[in-house]
Amino acid sequence: MHAIRSKTLLSPNVTRFVVEAPRIAEIRKPGQFVIVRLGPGAERIPLTIADADPAAGTITLVIQAVGKSTHDLVDLDPGDAIRDIAGPLGRPTELLPAGHAVCVGGGVGTAVVFPIAQALAAAGVRVTSVIGGRSKEWVIFADELRGTGDVVVCTDDGSAGRKGFVTQALAELCEGGGIDEVYAVGPVPMMRACAELTRPYGIKTTVSLNSIMVDGTGMCGGCRVGIGDTSQYACVDGPEFDGHAVDFDLLIDRLTTYREFEQDALARRSQPGQCLEGDR
Ligand code: NAD
Ligand code: FES
């Protein structure tokens, strides 16, 4: 059992938990994730390790409440516990050894880009973060990222920072030159747009793929992604890949496979007792 030490609401549907997981806190590396199971029979949810404190024996998980299982998780409070946390899983981020890295975070993806920016800055790489949200209250990790370098905040409605998508700010940085690598994490259309933007400049672009995962060990095939002309598994070969080689159409197609099932499960959660198609 993993006790929850603290809980903070970061944006209207994003919650940060600091959770006891001493072994994972000691050995995790940037880019790695865990698979969380709230209790017996519960869905397994892959979550990036946003931060860790080996001395306190804790890891930080950032959860966007979108479906039944993530709503169940964010309903927990300090003192409650998560039954299983398996990890660290996945390959650590391949960090740029020197130069200038731009870390792009879209919405909740900013929590995933934070440990990468942190590790790059610690290794002496110049870091510029470009982070975006629909409006002011959806921007997360801005203060934490300011500890790693310059931060450009973007909001769709202009309520904080500059108005527009993160890709507009990235386009200007690319135009200015001097960028050695881009790390982009967020909604799939955002990661795809970032990769298309950097392609003509030949700037290496790493994206983190949020494909559907079950076992997290390369056995079930659920997280299959197309990289160039190969099939790879995000849980063991990723989750980070060369954005210029990702088959984003396949990723989008596979991410929507269980959408109806997920919507039914969420509807049942909010209206207990209601009998839906599939219960019969
Ligand atoms: P959102 O839809 O509110 O978008 C956040 C920001 O991303 C926007 O403000 C904008 O700056 C940028 N953006 C969005 N669409 C764009 C586009 N078409 N072109 C350029 N920029 C764009 O984000 P959200 O609701 O916080 O994110 C939810 C999505 O992120 C979900 O689909 C979730 O699955 C995904 N996600 C991905 C990862 C990952 O590891 N890649 C991790 C967590 C969540
Ligand atoms: Fe099963 Fe990756 S989650 S193979």
Side-chain angles (χ1 to χ4, degrees):
M1 297 293 275
H2 300 268
I4 294 169
R5 291 264 192 93
S6 71
K7 174 183 181 180
T8 317
L9 192 65
L10 299 182
S11 84
N13 75 347
V14 176
T15 304
R16 170 169 53 200
F17 282 115
V18 175
V19 183
E20 286 175 12
R23 195 190 66 85
I24 298 171
E26 225 163 84
I27 61 173
R28 70 93 205 194
K29 292 201 167 70
Q32 290 188 299
F33 65 96
V34 290
I35 289 191
V36 166
R37 203 173 60 131
L38 186 48
E43 189 188 1
R44 293 150 197 254
I45 307 168
L47 294 170
T48 300
I49 306 164
D51 207 349
D53 182 343
T58 58
I59 58 172
T60 301
L61 302 175
V62 175
I63 302 160
Q64 185 179 38
V66 280
K68 178 196 177 294
S69 301
T70 45
H71 275 95
D72 288 346
L73 261 177
V74 301
D75 277 354
L76 297 177
D77 286 308
D80 293 335
I82 296 171
R83 169 80 173 229
D84 299 317
I85 301 184
L89 301 168
R91 297 164 78 100
T93 306
E94 282 180 26
L95 296 168
L96 178 72
H100 182 196
V102 175
C103 294
V104 187
V108 68
T110 309
V112 180
V113 108
F114 170 63
I116 302 173
Q118 214 181 17
L120 288 164
V125 173
R126 178 182 163 204
V127 176
T128 302
S129 297
V130 177
I131 60 173
R134 285 166 233 174
S135 60
K136 191 178 175 181
E137 66 270 28
W138 295 88
V139 175
I140 63 170
F141 276 82
D143 288 340
E144 290 87 341
L145 282 164
R146 283 190 190 103
T148 69
D150 294 334
V151 178
V152 181
V153 172
C154 309
T155 47
D156 302 2
D157 63 1
S159 55
R162 45 182 293 170
K163 188 175 191 307
F165 281 178
V166 284
T167 38
Q168 285 166 250
L170 177 63
E172 286 168 29
L173 286 167
C174 290
E175 193 58 44
I179 299 172
D180 297 293
E181 183 161 354
V182 169
Y183 297 85
V185 190
V188 176
M190 183 215 94
M191 294 190 289
R192 172 185 241 163
C194 288
E196 286 316 315
L197 229 158
T198 56
R199 194 191 297 275
Y201 295 94
I203 301 170
K204 184 178 176 191
T205 299
T206 297
V207 295
S208 178
L209 302 186
N210 55 327
S211 48
I212 290 167
M213 291 191 189
V214 183
D215 62 316
T217 62
M219 302 291 281
C220 73
C223 67
R224 179 171 64 83
V225 289
I227 308 296
D229 53 9
T230 67
S231 278
Q232 302 203 25
Y233 298 110
C235 66
V236 287
D237 301 317
E240 292 171 10
F241 294 98
D242 173 3
H244 297 149
V246 171
D247 181 343
F248 285 106
D249 288 329
L250 176 68
L251 179 65
I252 291 166
D253 188 48
R254 288 179 65 81
L255 280 172
T256 53
T257 308
Y258 300 105
R259 184 153 293 169
E260 242 176 73
F261 181 81
E262 284 161 5
Q263 282 167 350
D264 276 0
L266 187 59
R268 274 198 294 272
R269 182 185 191 274
S270 50
Q271 292 167 296
Q274 190 195 4
C275 184
L276 294 165
E277 203 64 40
D279 286 341
R280 292 183 276 268

